[in-house]
């Protein structure tokens, strides 16, 4: 018999975080390209971000066709990704011109693969988070310093892009998930 899960957050009922979800009416659309291995991961913060943002789209794929990607990137898009040496230099995204924030939800290794498979993503204007970043993600660890979860990254970037809204509220379900996981 299959294990019971919440249809919304895809978590077992005892660790469901849906009671802490918020809905934020964001102007800049957030497109989350999620690696298929993240879709079923129990700590799927890309899905959590999608559930919190009214203007978002979650696409699960490692490889998209040129037509699919062109359609997804039709609005003026910027990529949320660190400025790493192997990426081509691009201009920073201009907040006034940005209609869509593209986010890759994957491990660092898998996100690099998605970027290698989609050179058009590498050429998008980039938004990089700066400073001493500290994640509250106590369940999963990253191999890179200053790493944040997908949800934390989106909340921080959107707060910079749309300062009139409270994107920090998106951290409520994240904090609930972490607290529930530590309890069980």
């Amino acid at each position: 018999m299959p294990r019971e899960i919440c249809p919304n957050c895809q978590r077992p009922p005892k660790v469901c975080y849906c009671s802490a979800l918020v809905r934020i009416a964001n102007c800049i659309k957030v497109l989350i390209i999620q690696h298929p291995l993240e879709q079923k991961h129990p700590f799927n913060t890309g899905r959590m971000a999608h559930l919190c943002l009214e203007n978002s789209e979650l696409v699960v794929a490692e490889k998209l066709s040129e037509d699919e990607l062109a359609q997804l990137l039709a609005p003026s898009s910027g990529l949320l990704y660190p400025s790493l040496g192997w990426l081509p230099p691009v201009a920073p995204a201009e907040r006034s011109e940005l209609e869509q924030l593209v986010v890759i939800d994957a491990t660092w290794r898998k996100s690099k693969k998605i970027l290698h498979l989609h050179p058009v993503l590498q050429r998008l204007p980039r938004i990089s988070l700066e400073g001493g970043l500290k994640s509250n993600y106590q369940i999963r660890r990253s191999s890179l310093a200053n790493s944040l979860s997908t949800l934390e990254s989106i909340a921080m970037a959107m707060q910079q892009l749309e300062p009139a809204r409270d994107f920090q509220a998106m951290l409520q379900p994240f904090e609930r998930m972490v607290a529930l996981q530590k309890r069980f």
Side-chain angles (χ1 to χ4, degrees):
M1 184 166 177
R3 187 163 103 171
E4 184 183 354
I5 61 166
C6 169
N8 197 38
C9 70
Q10 305 290 307
R11 306 275 291 138
K14 71 179 184 178
V15 288
C16 172
Y17 56 75
C18 289
S19 64
L21 284 172
V22 297
R23 290 296 288 167
I24 300 173
N26 51 312
C27 293
I28 296 172
K29 180 180 180 179
V30 176
L31 170 64
I32 302 166
I33 300 174
Q34 186 178 68
H35 190 277
L37 294 178
E38 288 295 312
Q39 183 179 21
K40 296 292 183 187
H41 196 282
F43 311 121
N44 181 344
T45 66
R47 179 174 183 75
M48 187 183 292
H50 174 61
L51 293 172
C52 288
L53 297 170
E54 289 183 10
N55 189 10
S56 67
E57 183 176 356
L58 179 67
V59 176
V60 179
E62 182 178 62
K63 176 78 171 120
L64 296 159
S65 71
E66 284 185 31
D67 289 342
E68 289 171 315
L69 198 54
Q71 191 173 17
L72 288 169
L73 299 178
S76 175
S77 299
L79 177 67
L80 178 60
Y81 207 83
S83 295
L84 302 175
W86 59 269
L87 287 169
V90 294
E94 293 295 327
R95 185 166 84 183
S96 60
E97 298 171 9
L98 193 65
E99 297 175 71
Q100 177 172 262
L101 179 66
V102 179
V103 180
I104 299 172
D105 181 33
T107 63
W108 284 113
R109 187 168 157 250
K110 296 294 183 184
S111 74
K112 289 176 186 176
K113 182 173 182 181
I114 288 172
L115 283 175
H116 282 294
L117 292 171
H118 303 92
V120 68
L121 291 176
Q122 296 177 34
R123 294 188 295 274
L124 288 176
R126 201 163 305 125
I127 296 166
S128 297
L129 303 174
E130 304 294 330
L133 307 174
K134 178 150 176 30
S135 177
N136 286 335
Y137 213 170
Q138 300 167 13
I139 302 166
R140 241 175 143 180
R141 296 280 181 227
S142 172
S143 58
L144 292 178
N146 292 329
S147 293
L148 301 175
S149 69
T150 300
L151 178 102
E152 291 171 309
S153 299
I154 291 171
M156 185 178 241
M158 290 302 291
Q159 195 64 61
Q160 291 174 10
L161 295 170
E162 295 183 31
R165 290 179 173 73
D166 180 17
F167 289 95
Q168 295 307 303
M170 292 174 61
L171 298 177
Q172 293 171 11
F174 177 76
E175 290 163 0
R176 175 142 175 83
M177 177 188 72
V178 170
L180 286 169
Q181 198 60 38
K182 286 169 75 175
R183 191 182 322 163
F184 294 103

